[in-house]
Amino acid sequence: MEGIAVSKIAALLTSGLIVVASASHVLAQDAAANSPAKGLEVELNGLAPSQKGCMMTFVALNNLPAPITKISFELAFFNDKNAVDRVTVLDFRDLPQGKKRVRQFDMPNVKCESVTRLLINDAPVCDGPATGECMKRLVTRSQASVPFEG
C-alpha cells in the first residue's frame, strides 16, 4: 500500500512539474512576443498624391541599444515593369532609442500609382550604433498597398 501511495505522489509531482514547465514556456513566449524587437523598424505608412508628386510617410522606431544621431536611407523605387525607376537618399535625421518618429518626404515628379515596390538599398549614414547595425538589424513593413523591403 505504501508503494502505491508513493507512486501516486510521484505521478502527481511529475504532472505538476510538467504543467509548471509548460506554463513557464508559454509565459516566456508571451514575453518575447510583447517585448520590442532589438532592431531598427521602418514602416512605409502611406503614399498620397501631392502638388509636387508623391508624399511618402514613414514611421521609424529605434530599438537598437543606442540612439541614432543621424541616419539616411538609400531607397530604390520600382515601377510596374519591376524596373528601378529611381534611387534617392532620404535623411531620417535622428532616431532616439525607443521612440517612434514620423518622417514625410514629398517626392517631386513621382506618381504614387507608378510606384509598385520600395527597397531600402543601404544606410549610407548611420551615426550612433555599431558600424553596420542599421542595415543588419533593419526590419521593414508596409501599411500601404506598396511592398517595402530592406
Side-chain angles (χ1 to χ4, degrees), residues 52-90:
K52 290 182 181 179
C54 183
M55 178 66 72
M56 298 187 169
T57 302
F58 297 88
V59 178
L61 174 61
N62 175 11
N63 280 321
L64 295 172
I68 299 172
T69 55
K70 184 166 179 54
I71 187 165
S72 62
F73 292 111
E74 180 184 78
L75 262 70
F77 294 69
F78 290 81
N79 62 24
D80 59 353
K81 295 175 180 65
N82 205 29
V84 175
D85 190 58
R86 76 170 59 197
V87 176
T88 190
V89 176
L90 302 178

Side-chain angles (χ1 to χ4, degrees), residues 34-145:
N34 292 328
S35 68
K38 297 295 180 202
L40 177 57
E41 300 176 25
V42 182
E43 171 189 282
L44 174 61
N45 190 263
L47 302 170
S50 69
Q51 288 184 346
K52 290 182 181 179
C54 183
M55 178 66 72
M56 298 187 169
T57 302
F58 297 88
V59 178
L61 174 61
N62 175 11
N63 280 321
L64 295 172
I68 299 172
T69 55
K70 184 166 179 54
I71 187 165
S72 62
F73 292 111
E74 180 184 78
L75 262 70
F77 294 69
F78 290 81
N79 62 24
D80 59 353
K81 295 175 180 65
N82 205 29
V84 175
D85 190 58
R86 76 170 59 197
V87 176
T88 190
V89 176
L90 302 178
D91 181 3
F92 273 64
R93 303 187 316 258
D94 67 318
L95 295 176
Q97 187 179 14
K99 302 279 185 182
K100 282 187 180 177
R101 291 290 187 251
V102 175
R103 301 292 189 233
Q104 289 188 308
F105 302 94
D106 202 352
M107 303 302 300
N109 304 317
V110 172
K111 292 183 178 174
C112 294
E113 61 274 7
S114 70
V115 179
T116 60
R117 182 167 53 117
L118 284 174
L119 170 71
I120 293 182
N121 201 42
D122 195 12
V125 176
C126 178
D127 296 340
T131 304
E133 287 299 300
C134 288
M135 282 304 291
K136 185 168 42 171
R137 307 277 297 281
L138 181 66
V139 177
T140 58
R141 69 177 154 271
S142 179
Q143 292 293 327
S145 60

